[in-house]
Amino acid sequence: MAKQKVIYVCSNCGYKAVKWAGKCPSCEQWNTLEETLEVKKSGGAVATQTNVANSIHKLGSLDQTAEVRLSTPDSELNRVLGGGVVSGSLILVGGKPGIGKSTLLLQLGLLWQGKRILYFSGEESLNQVNLRAARLSGRNQELYFITDTSYETLEAAIKELEPDVVVVDSIQTLQLAQVESSPGSVVQIRECTNALMQLAKQRNCSVFVIGHITKDGFIAGPKVLEHMVDVVLYFDDSHLSYRFIKSTKNRFGTTTEVGIYEMTGMGLVPVENPSNIFIDSFGQESVGVAVSPTLEGMRPLLIEIQALISQSFYGTPQRTSNGFDSKRLAMLLAVLEKHCGLKLGQRDVFLNITGGIKINDPSIDLAVIAALASSYFDAPIAKGSVFSGEVGLTGEVRPVRMLRERAGECSRLGFKYIYHSSRSSEVKTNQINAVGVENVAALVRKIFK
Ligand code: TYD
Ligand code: MG
């Protein structure tokens, strides 16, 4: 017999309490405890010695049934998923409102010829989705659509249609009839995800679940949600019309890959050559501009750094930085002052990474130094030069990881010289000349001799 009991569940962290309190004892948020009915099943299966023996296996001794991966028509999605969607897996896609989650998955459904896809939306009407589908390219005869919020309808539709792929837009609108709390509550989200996981495994269909995020950037709902699912993807926009898709969890592949799209009037278009986007002054000699190969996941991406140093007319000089950590800029300015003798105390300094991109990779330090020095001396950097190295407080230039791949991308785009740490292992390519520098003073001497 199932026993029912009233408990209080925190809508932020999922903490369960027997008594209501204003503040959650676990995550210390106010007014997050909600009344819920807890159903306890009595008489669960008890393991006996005979049935447990059958479930113990030696790893590696089993027949290797290769996982079935469905390669999607979206090259960027394949890249982040590690080669395609694994049958029977549950993929959570999170991101800010309006970022393009629904567009991404509707587009996938339209382009994926030969697969039966069910798009289950609790957010938009048939009319709205039809209008959007008309703007996107691709027509799939086997793409089905339902507007509903009931989990039972979804389950019945999956049993009826037997789709290969299901899209649920969004988990916050889905509702299980037997769970009393409202859609979007911790209990509903957890129970619906649990039921979906089981259904996906039983029916061997892959399920994409869209999840809203909170203002702190986490997927709304219980923390356990991300532990339950197989893959967690985040859709993000550190750039104007560019969208980045990254995985923070992947049971079937790495989490280092990044997919890049551009949002256009006709939906999301994969960006195959991201380096081309972020470099403005290609092949020109400009003062205060330096190029650096950074990494987005495992992909080298060339970015351009612009610096402007000018006479300050106020007591405290301005330091403004876009896309680069301002504390790190202050450190690099101090290094230039101390080790290269540049007088920056009465100068305004502006630093900008073109394309609106934010970079957290210290390997661009050397390019920042080069751009700053170029603006200070009012002398351009020779055409075809790129810089890759981390700069330390003593002015030394440190090696960066994957220098060979970075140099490869630079040479592919026609750059001739890569300045890097003299301590890094040799970058031997016949297309690009590698110039090792020990410290920032040596770099400044070399480029502005
Ligand atoms: P949407 O997929 O609805 O976002 P989410 O589901 O993450 O909330 O994305 C909507 C945004 O994308 C909207 O602001 C308009 C824009 N958009 C385009 O620029 N081009 C297009 O072809 C489409 C379909 C949307
Ligand atoms: Mg949406």
Side-chain angles (χ1 to χ4, degrees):
M1 253 277 297
K3 267 195 265 171
Q4 287 195 336
K5 191 173 112 188
V6 172
I7 56 158
Y8 299 88
V9 179
C10 171
S11 59
N12 184 48
C13 67
Y15 178 83
K16 286 182 192 166
V18 284
K19 273 205 296 193
W20 188 84
K23 184 176 170 186
C24 169
S26 171
C27 66
E28 307 201 327
Q29 293 288 312
W30 288 94
N31 290 328
T32 52
L33 290 187
E34 289 172 4
E35 187 178 321
T36 324
L37 271 185
E38 187 184 52
V39 181
K40 273 200 177 147
K41 291 195 192 82
S42 48
V46 177
T48 61
Q49 200 146 18
T50 42
N51 66 24
V52 84
N54 295 336
S55 48
I56 301 176
H57 303 285
K58 240 188 199 163
L59 265 184
S61 64
L62 303 176
D63 286 346
Q64 300 260 333
T65 40
E67 59 194 18
V68 182
R69 258 184 210 269
L70 311 174
S71 173
T72 77
D74 182 333
S75 56
E76 301 301 296
L77 200 58
N78 284 343
R79 185 196 299 274
V80 275
L81 289 173
V85 184
V86 174
S87 291
S89 64
L90 197 105
I91 300 154
L92 186 62
V93 183
K96 288 190 288 193
I99 191 97
K101 302 178 293 295
S102 309
T103 308
L104 178 79
L105 294 173
L106 180 65
Q107 189 174 315
L108 179 73
L110 287 166
L111 291 173
W112 211 344
Q113 302 288 340
K115 287 279 175 280
R116 181 173 287 188
I117 296 160
L118 172 65
Y119 194 105
F120 187 92
S121 177
E123 305 232 328
E124 289 159 305
S125 66
L126 176 61
N127 205 12
Q128 280 174 305
V129 175
N130 252 334
L131 280 174
R132 176 172 314 152
R135 291 169 61 183
L136 304 173
S137 58
R139 293 286 164 266
N140 185 357
Q141 294 302 322
E142 292 267 30
L143 173 62
Y144 298 90
F145 180 80
I146 303 178
T147 310
D148 209 312
T149 55
S150 139
Y151 174 81
E152 287 71 22
T153 312
L154 173 62
E155 184 172 330
I158 293 176
K159 289 184 174 160
E160 166 77 30
L161 274 173
E162 304 205 326
D164 302 299
V165 178
V166 177
V167 176
V168 179
D169 190 0
S170 65
I171 191 72
Q172 278 83 9
T173 56
L174 205 60
Q175 192 170 18
L176 256 166
Q178 79 210 48
V179 178
E180 295 226 337
S181 40
S182 53
S185 67
V186 170
V187 193
Q188 275 292 3
I189 293 180
R190 191 182 55 215
E191 294 309 315
C192 288
T193 312
N194 234 333
L196 265 175
M197 286 285 285
Q198 285 172 20
L199 193 64
K201 302 274 174 298
Q202 267 168 24
R203 299 258 141 195
N204 211 22
C205 67
S206 311
V207 184
F208 283 92
V209 176
I210 293 179
H212 295 171
I213 60 169
T214 60
K215 60 179 187 305
D216 310 318
F218 298 108
I219 292 178
K223 287 277 174 290
V224 289
L225 187 60
E226 301 192 28
H227 294 287
M228 284 158 75
V229 302
D230 299 308
V231 181
V232 181
L233 300 180
Y234 273 93
F235 212 28
D236 203 0
D237 66 336
S238 43
H239 309 244
L240 312 166
S241 61
Y242 297 104
R243 304 281 186 267
F244 279 45
I245 190 160
K246 301 182 185 180
S247 78
T248 54
K249 167 179 178 177
N250 190 350
R251 284 190 179 147
F252 318 106
T254 70
T255 53
T256 48
E257 287 293 356
V258 178
I260 308 176
Y261 299 91
E262 183 178 2
M263 180 62 99
T264 69
M266 287 161 64
L268 292 156
V269 179
V271 176
E272 307 273 333
N273 265 326
S275 295
N276 293 349
I277 307 164
F278 301 109
I279 302 180
D280 270 354
S281 64
F282 209 52
Q284 295 164 25
E285 267 188 2
S286 325
V287 171
V289 177
V291 175
S292 183
T294 176
L295 290 177
E296 267 300 341
M298 302 300 272
R299 262 203 289 189
L301 170 71
L302 264 65
I303 51 145
E304 190 180 283
I305 294 143
Q306 300 180 338
L308 179 67
I309 297 185
S310 62
Q311 186 65 43
S312 175
F313 294 103
Y314 301 100
T316 319
Q318 290 190 61
R319 267 92 173 91
T320 309
S321 163
N322 279 322
F324 187 72
D325 181 30
S326 47
K327 288 206 178 93
R328 196 146 189 106
L329 172 63
M331 181 203 103
L332 294 177
L333 289 171
V335 167
L336 271 173
E337 183 129 21
K338 176 100 181 163
H339 298 284
C340 303
L342 270 56
K343 301 274 175 287
L344 298 162
Q346 288 309 310
R347 304 292 186 96
D348 287 339
V349 178
F350 303 93
L351 192 83
N352 184 32
I353 297 186
T354 54
I357 185 167
K358 285 192 187 68
I359 302 287
N360 235 341
D361 176 5
S363 76
I364 70 166
D365 287 355
L366 202 59
V368 172
I369 291 275
L372 290 168
S374 162
S375 178
Y376 182 87
F377 294 122
D378 207 11
I381 294 167
K383 215 162 67 178
S385 312
V386 291
F387 303 85
S388 192
E390 184 183 338
V391 172
L393 285 181
T394 57
E396 87 275 15
V397 179
R398 298 209 197 114
V400 300
R401 70 185 178 98
M402 293 178 63
L403 184 63
R404 185 177 295 276
E405 287 74 8
R406 296 182 202 236
E409 175 77 356
C410 297
S411 87
R412 198 174 68 73
L413 289 168
F415 286 90
K416 295 279 174 282
Y417 299 93
I418 181 163
Y419 291 85
H420 63 91
S421 165
S422 53
R423 285 193 278 134
S424 39
S425 49
E426 209 182 341
V427 211
K428 187 103 189 88
T429 62
N430 36 16
Q431 280 96 14
I432 195 158
N433 300 304
V435 187
V437 284
E438 225 163 83
N439 51 39
V440 289
L443 175 84
V444 171
R445 268 199 310 274
K446 272 203 170 105
I447 52 178
F448 304 110
K449 54 184 171 241

